[in-house]
Amino acid sequence: MLRQNDGMGQFAKQIITWQQQSGRHDLPWQNTRDPYQIWVSEIMLQQTQVNAVIGYYAKFMARFPDVATLAAAPLDDVMQHWAGLGYYARARNLHKSAVMIMAHFGGVFPGTFDEVLSLPGIGRSTAAAICAFAYGQRGAILDGNVKRVLARRFGVTGDVRSKLIEEQLWQVAEREVPNNDIEAYTQGLMDLGATVCTRGQPSCLLCPLRRQCVAFNDGMIDQLPGRGARKETPHRQTRMLVMLHANSVLIERRPPTGIWGGLWSLPEIAMESDVLAVAKSKFGITPSKGRRPRPLAEIEHGFTHYSLTIYPTEIAVAKRELSAEEPGILWLDLADISTAALPAPVKKILLALEHKAKTKK
Ligand code: ADE
């Protein structure tokens, strides 16, 4: 299963040299030692690619430049800055951590691995990455990309999602951590996994580890990292009301927990409900005479643990009783959709609608 480690430090040396020559050096969260900036970037980069993060990171930093500003901000404001990025527990934990840092660490981002690990939303790998980049502290990281690099290079077979294989990979990760240049090493592992040792069609000929790589030498690139039998992801369906009045659409704030907790969204109703009855009783609207509710194109959205099909139903509204001042309800101008803080699939439904409205004019 595990091959012997070949020569102390060779792996780390190869990663460091490659990072210095071919890795990424100008990402917005690099070239700083500010643990706050590094923390926010590492949380945004969990399960999210660099390209998707860059714009969000700049806006987040402009609005919340330090721990104190983040802690003092209403959670709602933080959520709005996260809208569209996904995995919203990250934003809630970021805010909760900022409040904890003000209360328990005197407003100063903690300086030890154990303290960093104690903050909500920070696991073993993220804590090590923050401590490496901010403080130059030695520690092992193991995110999805790094698992792939290690499984291939050291020929670790078996399901990487199993506890047993994950533990083996942590052992390899710990064993290879160098005594020096932890920043370049940590960044190099991440960069190699993201740009060279990719999941499909990796660029092995550009890889500094190729000569020693077990997967490359044994023709096992396609098989590693190993996956167990594929489990069917559960599928859910939901209906959303698209209530249109003049040039605006009704949106409501979602409850604080659950998917898209705290974000604004189209109202979600049970698949089998009577859409007009709900629209009237819950949102106080009078539908336009002679205009029946109309199904719009459905949207598929993938979450980590399930997939969701959204069935939007359009209702033309003649009269609205609930005003914009009603708490938790808002009539959003269609012209403002592209800049509104909405979950990505909801924005997609509304942008399609706005596009149609524009081309009709
Ligand atoms: N993924 C996780 N952390 C990262 C970082 N600091 N740079 C690039 N990609 C990352």
Side-chain angles (χ1 to χ4, degrees):
M1 171 103 39
L2 288 184
R3 297 264 175 115
Q4 261 229 289
N5 184 15
D6 41 24
M8 167 62 199
Q10 184 196 31
F11 175 78
K13 262 187 232 147
Q14 289 170 328
I15 295 282
I16 292 166
T17 306
W18 178 83
Q19 205 288 325
Q20 287 161 347
Q21 289 168 0
S22 310
R24 300 177 285 194
H25 298 100
D26 299 310
L27 298 173
W29 45 86
Q30 290 182 311
N31 309 309
T32 176
R33 286 273 180 184
D34 176 0
Y36 174 74
Q37 291 182 33
I38 291 164
W39 168 46
V40 172
S41 75
E42 289 303 328
I43 299 300
M44 284 192 172
L45 288 159
Q46 288 170 346
Q47 289 145 305
T48 310
Q49 293 190 352
V50 164
N51 283 345
V53 163
I54 287 179
Y56 279 87
Y57 180 76
K59 285 189 195 140
F60 196 94
M61 278 303 150
R63 168 63 184 88
F64 312 108
D66 48 42
V67 180
T69 311
L70 179 59
L75 174 61
D76 191 37
D77 201 351
V78 181
M79 299 310 294
Q80 303 312 310
H81 279 76
W82 210 272
L85 198 53
Y87 304 103
Y88 296 93
R90 296 185 296 176
R92 286 192 284 274
N93 281 330
L94 213 54
H95 184 254
K96 194 164 157 195
S97 295
V99 172
M100 281 173 65
I101 293 167
M102 297 312 288
H104 305 307
F105 297 105
V108 179
F109 195 88
T112 70
F113 174 84
D114 286 341
E115 287 168 341
V116 174
L117 186 62
S118 76
L119 296 171
I122 301 187
R124 182 172 167 189
S125 184
T126 300
I130 295 170
C131 290
F133 294 137
Y135 310 129
Q137 282 173 21
R138 211 177 155 268
I141 58 160
L142 191 68
D143 64 11
N145 284 348
V146 177
K147 281 182 184 169
R148 187 169 58 246
V149 173
L150 297 182
R152 284 178 175 161
R153 162 61 183 83
F154 294 100
V156 180
T157 57
D159 183 358
V160 283
R161 285 170 300 190
S162 72
K163 274 269 156 277
L164 182 72
I165 302 303
E166 179 166 336
E167 198 36 58
Q168 280 188 18
L169 288 169
W170 269 115
Q171 283 175 20
V172 176
E174 294 281 0
R175 183 188 73 200
E176 300 297 332
V177 177
N179 289 321
N180 302 305
D181 291 326
I182 189 68
E183 300 90 332
Y185 176 75
T186 304
Q187 189 67 51
L189 269 181
M190 292 171 170
D191 291 354
L192 195 74
T195 64
V196 173
C197 192
T198 51
R199 199 147 68 95
Q201 301 185 327
S203 311
C204 297
L205 294 179
L206 299 177
C207 182
L209 311 174
R210 147 180 110 258
R211 281 181 209 289
Q212 295 79 25
C213 180
V214 173
F216 182 70
N217 290 320
D218 294 358
M220 286 172 61
I221 288 291
D222 288 348
Q223 282 100 288
L224 291 178
R227 306 231 164 239
R230 234 175 204 287
K231 276 203 215 107
E232 280 284 308
T233 48
H235 183 250
R236 260 194 60 208
Q237 301 182 321
T238 192
R239 193 176 296 289
M240 286 188 179
L241 294 181
V242 183
M243 289 172 276
L244 291 174
H245 182 263
N247 268 334
S248 34
V249 62
L250 189 147
I251 56 173
E252 74 171 345
R253 191 202 295 278
R254 294 182 63 92
T257 53
I259 60 160
W260 305 324
L263 289 190
W264 290 87
S265 169
L266 290 168
E268 191 180 349
I269 64 170
M271 279 300 285
E272 60 282 4
S273 39
D274 176 338
V275 292
L276 279 184
V278 177
K280 283 181 201 164
S281 64
K282 194 164 173 212
F283 299 103
I285 62 106
T286 308
S288 302
K289 278 230 166 56
R291 300 266 311 269
R292 303 228 307 207
R294 194 169 68 99
L296 300 175
E298 61 216 48
I299 296 267
E300 303 285 340
H301 186 69
F303 292 100
T304 339
H305 298 296
Y306 66 95
S307 61
L308 180 69
T309 307
I310 303 173
Y311 294 88
T313 302
E314 181 187 306
I315 298 176
V317 174
K319 213 169 104 211
R320 55 190 217 197
E321 264 142 49
L322 295 185
S323 70
E325 287 83 51
E326 199 75 23
I329 285 182
L330 204 71
W331 286 94
L332 177 71
D333 196 311
L334 290 183
D336 294 333
I337 287 165
S338 54
T339 53
L342 299 163
V346 173
K347 192 173 253 193
K348 211 158 146 189
I349 294 168
L350 291 175
L351 282 175
L353 204 67
E354 190 215 7
H355 179 70
K356 231 174 23 191
K358 258 199 209 146
T359 48
K360 249 198 230 159
K361 272 183 196 162

